Structures are given as C-alpha cells and as structure tokens.
Amino acid sequence: MRRLIPLALVALLLAPAAPAAAAATATGPTATGYGGAVASVDPTATAAGLKVLREGGNAVDAALAVAATLGVTEPFSSGIGGGGFFVYYDARTGRVSTLDGRETAPRSMGEQAFVDPATGQAMAFQEARVSGLSAGVPGSLATWDEAARRWGTRPLAAALRPAAQVARDGFPVDATFAQQVSDNAAAFAQFDPTARLFLPGGAPPAVGSTLRNPDLAATYDLIARRGTGAFYSGEIGRDIVSTVQHPPVAASPAQSWQYQIRPGGMTLSDLRAYDVRRPAPTKVSYRGYDVYGMATPSSGGSTVGEALNILEKSDLSKLGKTQALHRYLEASALAFADRNRYVGDYTPRPLLDALLSDGFAGERACRIDPAKALAKPVAPGAPDGRYDRHCATTSGGATPDKGLSTTNLTVADKWGNVVEYTLTIEQIGGNAIVVPGRGFLLNNELTDFNFTPTQGTAADPNLPGPGKRPRSSMAPTIVLQHGKPVLALGSPGGSTIITTVLQILVNRLDLGMTLPQAVAAPRASQRNTAAITAEPAFIDSAEGRALTALGHSYTPMAEIGAATAIEFLPHGKLLACAEPVRRGTGSAGTVR
Ligand code: GLU
C-alpha cells in the first residue's frame, strides 16, 4: 500500500542510523542492490525492516520488524489477532524450515459449528464471519517469538517497540485503507471498540488524516515487557476470551446488520495450549530448481508443487504462450481438485508425499488435452501409488470462492538468509471485532473450514474439529538451485494465492519474463471452477482471447493478489520486487 511517510517518521525510522550514503532505500515497487532487501505492501513496514538490516540484524529480525509494523499499518490484513506461515532459508546450514502459526479451533468446536441449529443449513458466510465463532486461537505472536528465539539475533521486543511507536505517533490514512474501512463499515459499526478505532465520528477516516492506535501501542509495549505470556495466558488473553465469548456489540449501531452475532467458545486454556508447529517443508524439483513450500494445514505447498510437477511433463518454453497458459490453467484445476479432496490439517504425510510424486503428476498430466479445456470441475485423481492406469478418477467437487485479504513479506540479509512470510486475519477486517482496549482485530480464520461436506462424501478433509487448523492456501515459497536461493515469493488472495505464486513461477522460470514483469503480468486463476477468475488485462490479451477458442471462459476480477518477491542475482546482487499497481502499489528496498 503506498503511503507518503511524514518526514518526522522517516527520520524516526532511519535515525540514529548510518550516514546518508548508506541510508536504506524504500522507494518504489522494485529495487536492485546489495547487503539485504525487503519487499512488502507498505513503505513504513519495508523501511522498518531495512533499518534493522542496516543496523546488523538478520533476515528474521528484519522480517519480525516488518510484520509487527504491518500489524499497525495494515490492521485489516494482519496483526497479532491472526496467524500465518513462515518459511526460512538458513544460509549456514543450507536448510529450509517452516513455522506453522495457523489459528486453531477451540476444543469446543465440533463438525457442525457453522451449521445453523435452527435451520440445519450452513450459515451465510457473513453471519459466520462476523461473530466470536469464527475466531481461531491466534498464532502470529507465537510465530514471531519462535522465529526470534530460533533464528533471530535479538528478542521479539526489539521488533515490537518501534512498531508501538508507529502506532502511538500514527500513520497517514491512504485511499486503500479508507476503502477497506468503507467496505467493512456495516460490520465495524456493530462493535463499539471497532467503531471507535476505525469509524471516528461514525465514518471511515479521511484520506490523508493520521490514524493513531494508542491501545495497540500499549499492547505491544506490554508484550515487549512481559513476553508472549501476557497474550497466551495473561491479561490480554483474558480480554480475547471474553471478547470471543461476549462480542462487544453496540447498543445502537450506526448501521444495521442482518445477521445474528454469535459468540464463540474459545477459552483461556485454548490460548494456553497454542503451539507453533514446525512441519518439514514441501519440496518438488522443477526444471533443475528445488521449490520449497508450506505443508499442511496449508494447501499452498502441495497445490503449487503438484501443479509444477504436472507442468514439468511438457516444455512450456517451447509451446507458445497460449498453449503454455492453457497447460498452466489445466494443471492448476487438476491440482485444486486433489487439494479439495485430500488436503486438510490431518492429511497424513505419506498422502501429501503421494500428491507431490512424479508418478501421480504423470497420471494427472495425461488428462490435459492440448486442443480443448477440460470440463470443470474436474474430478480428483487417486494418489495411491499405482500410476499405471490411464487417467484414473474418483468423484468430488469444486470449493466456492471467498474473499481476498492477507499480506506477504520477503526479506533477505547480507549473510544469505531468507524469510518468506504470509500472514493474515482472513477477510479484510477479520471478524470485525477489535478487542476492547487492546487495539487489534480478531481473525475469522475458522471460516476457512468447509461449513458442510463439499466432496460428495462425508470424508471432507477440511471440516471443523476441536483443536483443528483450517486449511489455508497461503504459499510462501523459496526456490533453490544447487542449495542456494534463486527466488523467494508469496502473495495474499485466498485460494488465488496458489495460482498467483504458480503463475509468477511459470512467468519467470518458463516464459522468459524478468521478475518485475512476472509479478506485473495480468493474472488468471483456474481453481477447478467452470470459469477462470481473471483480471481484465488477461481476458483482453491476445492469449486470453485465444484461450476462449480452447473452451476457457472468464469471470472478471479487478485484481488478483499482491505479491512480494526477491530474486538472487549473481555476485550477491538482490532484486526486490512488490506490486507496481495492485493494492495501491507495494514497497521494495535494498540496504545498499
Ligand atoms: N484465509 C486465507 C488462507 O489462509 C487467506 C486469506 C486471504 O488471503 O484471502 O488461505
């Protein structure tokens, strides 16, 4: 999100640092240089990360500064009320590790949690979302703490304190921020603490005004002083629990809301029980590169990985752009069919490995007809280790589309460590409930569960359950070649995250685009639905039109995703890249 940073804030973020010549640059969506790099959606956050790098912090220290700042300046897409997935390449060991900081269902949550007991039907999405019911136990703060302890060189408090200062001093409201409030005005108006913070005087804050969040500043300071126990077992946790159990509903909201606002069942013992998991990353080889991603409960790694394996069966660089894009769309639809059928929090690792096997990809790839788009939804395949049958299928269906929120950051340091981190509170604005006196929104991540079975059988891998984590699409991805990073990338965008990451990889690795071109290129997302969700520029392109002759059709969407990425060029040169246009433009910078 582009925001003009007041000079005083720039001075604060950069002082008392190095001389001007060494000053970090966070100028625009693309930056090339040395000594470390940061890309995020927001210039204040990118500047905070660059400052840490310049002062000798490593990629993890800087990523946590970026994340904590985004919690202030991008409160509708991230923050300590949410969760995310953190992927880390350690230059010393050459290993890629992941942290699963996904929100978790309370122990009281059953399979029917989102079925209205009065009607026996699945709740409307907004009814489920704007409630205490949708809030999972937040994982972001525990993720930050785990990353700082495991790989950082400074305590988490060092990331929280400057971000608290940004919250205290305030930051300028830009058009994207004001629009996000306005899109949520009715939901925000239902809750006194949310309306007080984000609807001053009953309306969205004016573009150019300064938004201050002293409650969040005090919350960050308290955690910096007392540690994450203040959140997971102390006074902040008690406030979270009482907010979930008794949503602070306004007595006379400025706007009406057609749904009942339901409480949730989260308890302090659910918060105390939260743990950050450390699953092995997913890994596939793609044309000589090793592509590492996020394992379950995210479907990011498995779905991007399966689609790449399918695509590797043909040489896209020799096919011509229309045919290459046709295969990209078909591979994505096939991989989504398998994701929907098999991937959830409890997918056994051998099944995940089978989904990522070359044998299974071969069986799936044989379904692609170069002359004609498959009828969608395609059925899932059978990842059973017996891949001699021709194009085996079972039954299953597509999953519906949901909203687009979340944020992504990419950081590299001068030692060669890399962080790729996607974090979220699910919908833009989460569940719309600010914890009173604490200054942050709660997530609605539990609506990422399927409300009722979607697969034509009771065996849906993504139904709610006690202590279960909802399936995600977040796909923080790090690409190595001969053990060294070549590319790191990720994006927000609900289930389009998967296709955005996949399309950028194909653009960069197969179609001869530079990284900025690969990120800027018009996007199309085929998630096993009848029509492809696509940006107008894709639909109107020569290839977009040619694809309709193969039977593809489109549902337009103004914009898809908001990627950030870093490419590792020869001799330590870094190319940091954010969106040139989408989400009001992103912010990339290098240390030198
Ligand atoms: N909740 C989504 C997921 O985990 C991300 C939210 C979004 O980007 O829209 O996949």
Side-chain angles (χ1 to χ4, degrees):
M1 179 184 297
R2 189 211 297 272
R3 240 177 237 129
L4 293 177
I5 313 177
L7 281 179
L9 184 53
V10 173
L12 177 86
L13 287 165
L14 300 182
T25 48
T27 49
T30 303
T32 311
Y34 297 89
V38 179
S40 86
V41 74
D42 176 68
T44 309
T46 295
L50 288 169
K51 178 174 187 289
V52 171
L53 291 177
R54 222 180 46 255
E55 291 172 354
N58 70 11
V60 170
D61 302 326
L64 298 181
V66 177
T69 308
L70 289 171
V72 178
T73 60
E74 296 283 328
F76 309 127
S77 306
S78 65
I80 57 176
F85 297 98
F86 192 103
V87 181
Y88 176 60
Y89 169 80
D90 188 309
R92 202 173 42 81
T93 62
R95 284 212 356 233
V96 177
S97 308
T98 75
L99 298 178
D100 159 11
R102 185 67 162 169
E103 298 90 332
T104 302
R107 272 177 282 197
S108 56
M109 180 163 259
E111 204 167 285
Q112 302 280 312
F114 293 112
V115 173
D116 183 340
T119 64
Q121 303 293 311
M123 291 173 195
F125 181 74
Q126 288 297 337
E127 178 175 14
R129 173 204 164 198
V130 179
S131 75
L133 207 54
S134 64
V137 178
S140 286
L141 194 60
T143 306
W144 302 353
D145 198 43
E146 182 78 17
R149 286 172 195 279
R150 203 164 272 284
W151 304 303
T153 68
R154 36 179 89 181
L156 175 57
L160 293 173
R161 289 206 173 96
Q165 197 61 41
V166 176
R168 227 180 328 268
D169 293 345
F171 55 91
V173 169
D174 70 358
T176 307
F177 190 99
Q179 186 62 47
Q180 291 177 334
V181 178
S182 153
D183 293 344
N184 273 295
F188 285 3
Q190 304 313 308
F191 305 100
D192 285 327
T194 316
R196 263 198 302 277
L197 182 57
F198 295 124
L199 293 167
V207 175
S209 64
T210 298
L211 195 122
R212 293 187 179 79
N213 191 342
D215 287 348
L216 183 57
T219 301
Y220 274 11
D221 282 340
L222 178 65
I223 298 165
R225 263 195 328 274
R226 294 240 211 99
T228 57
F231 187 95
Y232 285 100
S233 54
E235 55 205 270
I236 304 169
R238 280 194 291 278
D239 286 353
I240 292 173
V241 164
S242 92
T243 305
V244 166
Q245 294 182 2
H246 310 284
V249 179
S252 46
Q255 297 191 44
S256 62
W257 187 248
Q258 68 181 110
Y259 303 109
Q260 184 182 340
I261 294 169
R262 296 168 190 269
M266 192 193 296
T267 64
L268 203 55
S269 84
D270 290 316
L271 272 166
R272 279 205 189 95
Y274 187 83
D275 67 328
V276 174
R277 299 182 192 158
R278 295 189 296 119
T282 60
K283 179 189 170 194
V284 298
S285 305
Y286 185 66
R287 305 194 204 283
Y289 299 98
D290 292 317
V291 181
Y292 289 86
M294 201 61 227
T296 55
S298 187
S299 59
S302 67
T303 315
V304 170
E306 182 188 336
L308 288 174
N309 283 340
I310 294 171
L311 288 173
E312 205 182 22
K313 306 293 173 196
S314 46
D315 186 349
L316 300 186
S317 68
K318 300 225 165 69
L319 284 179
K321 202 162 171 208
T322 301
Q323 198 47 233
L325 288 169
H326 172 61
R327 311 252 173 163
Y328 151 69
L329 295 165
E330 297 294 78
S332 172
L334 290 160
F336 261 90
D338 298 324
R339 161 200 187 267
N340 295 344
R341 180 69 187 85
Y342 299 113
V343 182
D345 194 20
Y346 302 145
T347 303
R349 194 75 198 200
L351 176 53
L352 196 61
D353 292 342
L355 288 168
L356 287 170
S357 68
D358 274 326
F360 182 56
E363 190 168 273
R364 297 303 271 156
C366 81
R367 296 225 41 214
I368 298 178
D369 179 346
K372 190 167 179 295
L374 293 163
K376 313 287 186 319
V378 296
D384 56 6
R386 292 177 290 122
Y387 304 124
D388 44 353
R389 286 170 317 228
H390 200 61
C391 301
T393 57
T394 58
S395 65
T399 41
D401 204 4
K402 285 200 284 168
L404 305 170
S405 169
T406 312
T407 193
N408 191 77
L409 61 97
T410 313
V411 179
D413 65 26
K414 64 181 172 191
W415 298 281
N417 303 304
V418 184
V419 172
E420 187 60 48
Y421 184 27
T422 315
L423 58 166
T424 188
I425 57 173
E426 214 305 278
Q427 290 291 291
I428 291 181
N431 76 350
I433 310 178
V434 167
V435 179
R438 302 297 182 185
F440 63 91
L441 283 157
L442 289 173
N443 69 84
N444 67 298
E445 215 72 48
L446 302 183
T447 60
D448 272 358
F449 284 122
N450 293 334
F451 293 7
T452 52
T454 60
Q455 297 301 299
T457 93
D460 185 310
N462 191 36
L463 291 174
K468 194 174 173 183
R469 300 183 178 196
R471 177 175 63 209
S472 171
S473 299
M474 290 189 267
T477 302
I478 295 181
V479 183
L480 307 185
Q481 194 175 36
H482 310 306
K484 297 271 180 261
V486 294
L487 197 57
L489 73 162
S491 176
S495 56
T496 68
I497 291 170
I498 289 167
T499 57
T500 292
V501 168
L502 183 62
Q503 193 175 358
I504 293 171
L505 287 171
V506 167
N507 286 345
R508 178 68 196 89
L509 302 179
D510 292 308
L511 302 186
M513 295 186 200
T514 63
L515 183 62
Q517 289 168 342
V519 168
R523 295 193 180 129
S525 179
Q526 173 45 280
R527 287 158 294 151
N528 201 22
T529 50
I532 297 163
T533 305
E535 294 177 340
F538 186 97
I539 298 170
D540 296 338
S541 67
E543 297 82 24
R545 286 195 297 274
L547 285 163
T548 60
L550 296 178
H552 294 284
S553 62
Y554 301 109
T555 304
M557 184 180 243
E559 60 181 49
I560 298 175
T564 70
I566 294 177
E567 183 167 344
F568 300 80
L569 302 168
H571 313 299
K573 198 169 182 183
L574 299 164
L575 170 55
C577 201
E579 294 286 353
V581 177
R582 297 180 185 95
R583 282 263 183 118
T585 80
S587 168
T590 57
V591 170
R592 285 189 279 121

